[in-house]
Amino acid sequence: MKTLEYNPSKLEVAFAHAIEDIKGQIEKHLPNNEILKVENKITADNPLVKFYLLDSDGDPHELVIKVIQTPDKF
């Protein structure tokens, strides 16, 4: 399927939602960290998924994933 629309593309939006949906599985791979909240900015030029974490020392951390689809190569 050729991508007709970018920023955000349908694939970028679906991928960002998928990342948010597997937050519990991601947390299992982050020892000594708890995911407190996930913020998903779907309508951004490139969707952004931001994770708010709390480590075992009580320190807060933020991780950001920006989803960018490169142009199709046909």
Side-chain angles (χ1 to χ4, degrees):
M1 178 177 87
K2 291 184 180 179
T3 304
L4 303 176
E5 241 179 76
Y6 291 89
N7 300 332
S9 72
K10 291 180 182 179
L11 185 56
E12 288 172 333
V13 170
F15 196 84
H17 277 301
I19 292 170
E20 183 178 24
D21 289 345
I22 62 169
K23 126 184 162 169
Q25 292 174 307
I26 292 171
E27 189 173 46
K28 291 177 189 175
H29 296 279
L30 303 174
N32 304 315
N33 284 276
E34 174 188 358
I35 297 175
L36 300 175
K37 178 173 92 167
V38 179
E39 185 178 298
N40 203 336
K41 295 188 178 179
I42 295 297
T43 57
D45 184 13
N46 297 110
L48 178 112
V49 185
K50 190 174 191 177
F51 287 81
Y52 295 86
L53 299 109
L54 189 66
D55 69 20
S56 57
D57 293 332
D59 298 325
H61 302 281
E62 295 178 12
L63 296 173
V64 177
I65 299 171
K66 190 146 185 121
V67 181
I68 301 170
Q69 180 181 359
T70 58
D72 295 340
K73 295 169 179 78
F74 293 105

